[in-house]
Amino acid sequence: KIEESPIGSALENAVRAGRIYEIPRAHLIHATFCRRLFVAACASLDFGHLNSAVSILHDLPSFGLDVLEPADMLLRAPTLSIRMAAVELWSRMIPCLKEPHDLKFAFDRFSQSFFIAAAWLDDSHDDEMSPLRDALWNLAFEWQLA
């Protein structure tokens, strides 16, 4: 098993250090090791490795409410591509939330991030922002359905 080998530890450390940008076929990795890689990607965010961390978080299965902190942080990121990736993380998280209190808690956090991201869009009149604007509105619609 990779998670018990030196390769697993090296992979985990590389994710934490922001040196890995993808985990191909992550759905085939044992859930326990996926969790460890998720924690390493979150640590990578804390170290400022936004691009690598968001790529890893996209490859891993969603961990429900645990994705809230990184998704919130990434939706406030200074670049369009990171914010677009954050919208996808939020979108993947919503179906994993089954309990009403989890939905409410996550929505409260989302609404704060949504308005910050929307204000950032309002400050720019760049046509490149229209995909993010559309993605944010689609995400707001997903919340309504949840």
Side-chain angles (χ1 to χ4, degrees):
K1 293 182 174 182
I2 191 169
E3 61 266 20
E4 297 171 1
S5 73
I7 293 171
S9 293
L11 178 60
E12 199 173 346
N13 289 333
V15 167
R16 188 174 290 106
R19 293 190 310 261
I20 301 284
Y21 284 79
E22 70 177 319
I23 306 289
R25 299 175 15 185
H27 65 281
L28 299 176
I29 298 173
H30 190 271
T32 305
F33 190 54
C34 278
R35 169 62 73 178
R36 287 175 36 200
L37 293 174
F38 173 81
V39 170
C42 290
S44 180
L45 279 175
D46 293 339
F47 294 132
H49 307 296
L50 302 182
N51 289 317
S52 59
V54 76
S55 295
I56 297 300
L57 291 171
H58 269 267
D59 289 344
L60 296 173
S62 182
F63 286 100
L65 201 54
D66 291 343
V67 178
L68 181 66
E69 290 298 324
D72 183 54
M73 178 183 179
L74 292 165
L75 195 54
R76 300 165 189 250
T79 62
L80 176 63
S81 61
I82 302 273
R83 287 185 184 211
M84 287 293 294
V87 169
E88 177 64 25
L89 289 176
W90 279 102
S91 184
R92 287 177 45 205
M93 179 180 55
I94 294 170
C96 297
L97 303 176
K98 304 296 184 202
E99 299 296 323
H101 63 279
D102 289 345
L103 278 165
K104 181 180 178 345
F105 179 72
F107 180 76
D108 288 346
R109 287 290 295 277
F110 168 73
S111 61
Q112 295 169 20
S113 297
F114 174 85
F115 287 111
I116 289 170
W120 185 66
L121 287 171
D122 288 343
D123 291 342
S124 173
H125 300 290
D126 192 349
D127 286 339
E128 290 179 9
M129 297 295 182
S130 64
L132 179 58
R133 185 176 291 111
D134 293 343
L136 284 170
W137 285 116
N138 288 336
L139 187 56
F141 180 71
E142 286 181 49
W143 275 108
Q144 283 185 318
L145 295 176

